[in-house]
Amino acid sequence: MGFLVAQFLSGLAHASSLFLVAAGLSIIFGVTRIVNFAHGSFYMLGAFVAYSLADRLSGALGFWGAVAGAAVFAGLLGVAVEVLLLRRLYRSPELFQLLATFGLVLVVQDLALAIWGPEDLLGPRAPGLEGIVRILGRPFPQYDLLLIALGPAVLGLLWLLFHRTRWGILVRAATEDREMTGALGVKQTRLFTSVLFLGTALAGLAGALQVPREAANLQMDINIVVEAFVVVVIGGMGSVAGAFLASLLIGQLQAFGILIFPQVTLVLVFLVMALVLVVRPYGLLGRPQAVPRAGHAPETPIAPASQGARIAWAAALAVLLALPLAVGDYALVVLTEVFVLALFASSLHFAMGPGGMVSFGHAAYFGLGAYGAGLLMKHLGAGMVPGLIAAPLAAGLGALVFGWFCVRLSGVYLAMLTLAFAQIVWSVAFQWYSVTGGDNGILGVWPAAWAAPKWAFYYLSLVLAGGGIYLLRRVIFSPFGYALRAGRDSPLRSDAIGIPVKRHQWAAFTLSGAAAGLAGGLYAYSKGSVFPNLISISTSVDALVMVLLGGVQTLTGPIVGAAVFHGLETEMVRHTDYWRLLLGVAIIAMVLVFPQGVVGALERLRPRRPGQAREEAVAR
Amino acid sequence: MSILQVRDLTKSFGGVQAVRGVSFEVGAGELLALIGPNGAGKTTCFNMLNGQIRPDRGSVTLEGRDLTGLSPRRIWRMGVGRTFQITATYASMTVRENVQMVLLSRHRRLFDLWRPAASEYVDEALDLLEQVGMRPQADRPCGVLAYGDVKRVELAMALASEPRLLLMDEPTAGMAPKERIELMALTAELVRRRGVAVLFTEHDMDVVFAHAHRIIVLSRGALIASGPPPVVRDDPDVQEVYLGSGAMFAKEGAA
């Protein structure tokens, strides 16, 4: 009994920290409509800054001064981020917002690594609260009792702030209807900046308060932000009370889940989220998002390749076929990876371009393909050919199951759900040691003897990846692909001409997953191994960057994007330790100045029919 | 014989009876206008016919087949085409592809993963565009058309499914006066030739009285008048609904 109570209380303490982070995230989203991926970075910085400050300040006041200082620091940094970055993104598609803030995550990670080093840093205990109390005979840290009290206290303060102050009422008004609030003469910029201060200061506070409980480390940003996403999505985006309820739920789920299924606590959390979203698509206390009034420019119609483009493709193919005669093994290996990544990026583009479903967790299907091949080899001793057949099947099956949930949602909620499913797959691969080998991965996933030479595997990848990309393209131009785009352009009209939109999206999601799985299978054999990081968020983001780098509204974009991205990565990693920093800066720059991607920008340079620009302006 | 038969259609939202026991019929080649002041229940009525709302009571039959409470997709397959008050077309497709999309759906080709969609049913699509006068613009993106032209494309899309009944929700909303008359004249001509029944709602009385063969009037959810335009125009109940009876001021004057 005492044990269960202690477990319950530690769940509450965890819920409190989670609530501080999630509340900040939710408030920021409510007003700015930006899902701030970098929110966890403020939490992490809060912890690191509090550690450094507590080191320098002394005495009882020193610790609490450090906590307060860290919170203010995080808040001020949030203000800087709002002014320099977010302000330019308010009108961008939500995918770009997610990506740009993820770019920020990468930048902060490398900066933190440079400043504080790679070691975990254990901070001081809180003065006066070092001890334990006995609850029903069980020891319980005094400090955790403080945290338990803090959650409801902050909820109360936020309630007062939002209901009793003029500022809070304006924030709530902006959450309900941003355009109307602006039209009534409320100065938006100052409101948004101050909201960012509050939200990020809460994250910094939560991080600082975590210092006495766990060592500050470089993984805490992603860990906490994914958890906070789950909380915010379950509670309802923009709802502080919802975030509180969901924090309690997740806190307890983790406290007790670890007793029942120690291996799969993460899975449990994400399953709850998926269930909540199916029953209540906008979260427990959330409401459907108001559709922003500023629409995006319509995509130009797709057209089959022109005569010139066909010749160019044939020439490129001929060069690729002849290349093994001219270049060494290293170039072939890099190019093989480019083929695989091009298929991966094309599969993601298929879902998010024509399908209109932004997947923030496409690595799940890449990873399912790789693990499908790897596990078959590990447990059944199967060779490469069965492995490459199993890869798309395994990933397609995963996409079939996850897609059933995903197509019920749209926009940010869809992106979050795909991310959640990817994290489920990742945690299974990471935690299920006996089957997947955990973070030791699966080694010795080598190609069959006939495909073992680098040039042979190069040709195999060219045929399979090229074939996969060709098939996806064929589907985009087929009636199925047209119906898919129809469902994206106007669900209302599609319903009225007999197109089963959800079923089409589901089928497209599955197909996209299977293609990603084939890419994953090829990748596994090209590397000879499979590791859980294939399924990590950064793999998903890499794919998104490839698609956006090429241009999401173009069909050749993903191929160009994969080639440019992988080429750059391969070069940069050789010359610098700060690849993530550069990648982060590049992502942010791309979103800000280059949103149509390389191919999109090139297409804009093509001569346009006279008067076309004017027509477009009128149509808008 | 009538194509659409509506019997005793009723729908409440909470305590509000939006539509109360409405019955009417539309014949082949007939343009029936459904009019009424704001809040009379026109949209609710329409949405029960096209499957977006399930009626509490009553029946909708199309050429003898019951389509009460079916999904919009099923109702469309049974031969009910529609145009929207705010046009809904596919902005990322060309005008011709918009029509082809409907044809592909009608021929149940939506799960074809192989053949290029843009080369299917080209002649049929161009022929339909010819009929609405949009053939010269067939290869332009639908997203850049003028509003009146989008309305014409919608009409071609609606006809592409070879409907028996066409539901048009404020077909001329948002158009210039001259365009309105042209569009309705075109619609009248096409439905006469094809023997389609048309039910439309409209706020522009010029359009209604110039083109409707018959008019039914809804007020507070119930039908209060029905008949040819001149009869409805002279109906005292209709005049009261639209113009007010003047009773309030009459009373004030007497007091």
Side-chain angles (χ1 to χ4, degrees):
Chain A
M1 183 63 202
F3 174 70
L4 291 182
V5 170
Q7 208 63 23
F8 175 74
L9 288 177
S10 79
L12 284 184
H14 180 59
S16 273
S17 336
L18 204 50
F19 168 66
L20 291 192
V21 181
L25 188 66
S26 198
I27 295 167
I28 293 174
F29 173 80
V31 176
T32 65
R33 299 283 146 193
I34 286 186
V35 177
N36 181 16
F37 218 121
H39 202 67
S41 306
F42 293 98
Y43 171 84
M44 181 176 77
L45 285 177
F48 276 120
V49 170
Y51 169 87
S52 293
L53 284 179
D55 221 24
R56 282 166 185 69
L57 307 171
S58 59
L61 270 180
F63 174 81
W64 300 110
V67 169
V72 171
F73 173 81
L76 291 177
L77 199 66
V79 168
V81 165
E82 198 274 341
V83 172
L84 295 174
L85 176 65
L86 299 187
R87 201 170 271 189
R88 288 156 227 279
L89 291 174
Y90 290 141
R91 289 178 167 274
S92 304
E94 51 219 0
L95 172 66
F96 285 21
Q97 301 169 343
L98 268 173
L99 265 182
T101 51
F102 186 79
L104 208 57
V105 170
L106 295 175
V107 171
V108 172
Q109 271 181 352
D110 265 4
L111 288 181
L113 174 66
I115 298 172
W116 285 281
E119 272 90 46
D120 289 6
L121 303 174
L122 191 58
R125 298 274 186 88
L129 295 171
E130 294 99 337
I132 53 161
V133 289
R134 293 210 161 260
I135 294 171
L136 296 178
R138 291 265 166 182
F140 192 78
Q142 288 175 339
Y143 185 71
D144 283 14
L145 289 177
L146 172 82
L147 287 184
I148 292 176
L150 193 68
V154 169
L155 178 67
L157 285 175
L158 285 176
W159 190 88
L160 285 177
L161 186 64
F162 285 132
H163 289 83
R164 290 286 179 268
T165 68
R166 180 184 146 77
W167 180 84
I169 288 166
L170 291 183
V171 168
R172 282 195 299 139
T175 305
E176 293 253 320
D177 192 331
R178 197 164 81 191
E179 281 90 354
M180 180 55 86
T181 313
L184 291 175
V186 176
K187 187 144 184 170
Q188 303 245 359
T189 43
R190 212 176 299 157
L191 193 64
F192 283 24
T193 313
S194 52
V195 163
L196 250 292
F197 179 82
L198 177 66
T200 51
L202 281 174
L205 178 66
L209 287 172
Q210 209 59 18
V211 168
R213 294 184 86 217
E214 62 170 327
N217 61 70
L218 288 168
Q219 287 81 47
M220 36 193 325
D221 54 348
I222 292 290
N223 290 343
I224 194 78
V225 82
V226 170
E227 241 181 298
F229 276 164
V230 172
V231 167
V232 170
V233 166
I234 290 181
M237 301 273 229
S239 163
V240 173
F244 187 74
L245 272 183
S247 303
L248 290 180
L249 180 67
I250 295 300
Q252 293 309 329
L253 206 59
Q254 291 191 324
F256 288 98
I258 207 157
L259 303 178
I260 306 163
F261 305 109
Q263 253 95 62
V264 290
T265 46
L266 272 172
V267 177
L268 214 57
V269 167
F270 288 113
L271 279 182
V272 168
M273 166 170 155
L275 282 181
V276 168
L277 282 183
V278 168
V279 182
R280 290 189 62 94
Y282 302 102
L284 294 175
L285 299 183
R287 270 176 291 178
Q289 287 172 56
V291 180
R293 293 189 182 110
H296 307 309
E299 196 176 301
T300 50
I302 56 173
S306 63
Q307 193 66 31
R310 275 166 204 267
I311 293 171
W313 278 113
L317 196 61
V319 169
L320 288 178
L321 284 172
L323 217 53
L325 301 172
V327 300
D329 274 359
Y330 177 71
L332 290 186
V333 168
V334 172
L335 276 172
T336 302
E337 285 164 10
V338 168
F339 298 156
V340 171
L341 292 176
L343 176 59
F344 182 32
S346 296
S347 76
L348 175 61
H349 170 265
F350 182 76
M352 61 191 265
M357 299 173 284
V358 173
S359 167
F360 221 89
H362 222 54
Y365 312 105
F366 191 68
L368 279 174
Y371 270 95
L375 290 176
L376 210 59
M377 192 281 303
K378 180 176 172 176
H379 294 286
L380 298 175
M384 184 186 76
V385 174
L388 284 179
I389 295 172
L393 290 181
L397 194 66
L400 189 75
V401 174
F402 296 154
W404 187 86
F405 294 94
C406 291
V407 299
R408 266 140 240 278
L409 304 176
S410 61
V412 164
Y413 282 89
L414 171 72
M416 294 292 109
L417 193 61
T418 52
L419 176 70
F421 282 128
Q423 290 300 102
I424 291 184
V425 177
W426 175 81
S427 57
V428 169
F430 191 75
Q431 294 181 328
W432 202 5
Y433 246 84
S434 54
V435 173
T436 64
D439 54 359
N440 292 330
I442 303 171
L443 301 176
V445 192
W446 295 113
W450 58 267
K454 297 296 179 215
W455 60 266
F457 199 77
Y458 169 90
Y459 281 126
L460 179 70
S461 305
L462 180 59
V463 168
L464 289 182
I469 292 171
Y470 174 74
L471 287 182
L472 285 177
R473 188 179 161 87
R474 188 92 203 191
V475 171
I476 290 176
F477 281 98
S478 76
F480 178 85
Y482 268 68
L484 191 63
R485 276 165 60 220
R488 175 201 66 186
D489 279 5
S490 172
L492 182 68
R493 164 58 72 187
S494 301
D495 205 34
I497 62 163
I499 300 175
V501 175
K502 293 279 170 237
R503 221 188 310 159
H504 260 76
Q505 288 180 332
W506 189 22
F509 196 87
T510 306
L511 187 63
S512 158
L518 177 61
L522 278 172
Y523 193 78
Y525 287 108
S526 78
K527 292 283 179 190
S529 58
V530 182
F531 289 102
N533 69 352
L534 281 186
I535 316 170
S536 65
I537 296 175
S538 60
T539 307
S540 293
V541 170
D542 283 354
L544 284 166
V545 171
M546 288 178 228
V547 172
L548 293 177
L549 194 62
V552 70
Q553 294 200 343
T554 63
L555 297 180
T556 45
I559 303 171
V560 176
V564 173
F565 179 83
H566 193 60
L568 280 180
E569 185 182 19
T570 313
E571 269 309 295
M572 295 298 226
V573 168
R574 289 204 295 185
H575 296 298
T576 171
D577 291 336
Y578 294 101
W579 158 244
R580 279 181 304 190
L581 180 79
L582 288 174
L583 178 64
V585 172
I587 291 177
I588 294 170
M590 183 176 82
V591 168
L592 288 182
V593 300
F594 218 30
Q596 323 88 9
V598 176
V599 179
L602 288 178
E603 284 185 355
R604 292 221 150 194
L605 294 178
R606 274 194 322 204
R608 292 147 68 92
R609 278 186 304 105
Q612 189 175 332
R614 184 176 44 87
E615 280 169 2
E616 281 169 13
V618 170
R620 226 160 281 158
Chain B
M1 185 208 142
S2 63
I3 288 192
L4 176 73
Q5 288 186 311
V6 176
R7 290 273 165 273
D8 193 29
L9 212 53
T10 300
K11 179 78 194 177
S12 305
F13 297 108
V16 183
Q17 279 210 311
V19 174
R20 294 181 285 175
V22 169
S23 304
F24 60 87
E25 300 187 352
V26 195
E30 184 182 30
L31 266 83
L32 178 68
L34 170 64
I35 65 170
N38 289 331
K42 297 189 298 290
T43 305
T44 309
C45 207
F46 237 70
N47 286 342
M48 282 191 281
L49 298 185
N50 64 36
Q52 285 189 322
I53 298 180
R54 205 188 173 84
D56 294 341
R57 201 174 71 219
S59 69
V60 182
T61 18
L62 185 78
E63 295 187 311
R65 289 182 299 170
D66 185 25
L67 41 80
T68 320
L70 296 181
S71 72
R73 287 207 301 275
R74 292 279 299 281
I75 289 179
W76 176 81
R77 288 234 175 261
M78 293 171 81
V80 179
R82 54 195 284 219
T83 65
F84 294 92
Q85 183 178 345
I86 298 168
T87 54
T89 56
Y90 303 125
S92 78
M93 297 183 197
T94 66
V95 168
R96 175 163 61 85
E97 287 168 345
N98 267 273
V99 181
Q100 282 171 298
M101 195 67 250
V102 184
L103 294 170
L104 285 165
S105 180
R106 191 184 98 205
H107 293 283
R108 298 183 179 274
R109 293 275 312 282
L110 294 176
F111 278 88
D112 182 338
L113 295 166
W114 192 247
R115 269 164 296 189
S119 33
E120 302 287 320
Y121 313 113
V122 176
D123 296 338
E124 211 177 333
L126 289 177
D127 183 48
L128 282 159
L129 288 172
E130 180 78 58
Q131 292 180 38
V132 298
M134 284 298 291
R135 184 164 177 157
Q137 306 197 56
D139 290 323
R140 297 184 68 200
C142 220
V144 306
L145 296 183
Y147 195 66
D149 289 342
V150 182
K151 289 270 184 184
R152 285 167 185 269
V153 176
E154 264 208 327
L155 185 57
M157 290 171 81
L159 294 176
S161 60
E162 297 196 336
R164 300 302 297 137
L165 170 72
L166 191 53
L167 297 174
M168 304 178 83
D169 193 2
E170 301 209 14
T172 69
M175 298 175 80
K178 185 162 162 282
E179 281 184 311
R180 293 174 179 227
I181 299 296
E182 279 173 12
L183 183 78
M184 284 317 284
L186 175 67
T187 308
E189 164 62 19
L190 288 174
V191 300
R192 189 188 55 76
R193 232 192 291 158
R194 293 163 168 257
V196 181
V198 177
L199 175 70
F200 70 104
T201 64
E202 187 55 68
H203 275 297
D204 183 338
M205 289 305 138
D206 287 339
V207 170
V208 171
F209 283 100
H211 292 285
H213 301 132
R214 224 155 36 89
I215 299 174
I216 52 178
V217 187
L218 264 185
S219 173
R220 297 184 186 183
L223 272 191
I224 58 165
S226 126
V231 176
V232 169
R233 197 199 310 257
D234 296 334
D235 188 300
D237 287 342
V238 175
Q239 289 176 355
E240 184 180 330
V241 163
Y242 269 91
L243 304 175
S245 63
M248 190 191 287
F249 295 105
K251 263 183 211 156
E252 272 178 17

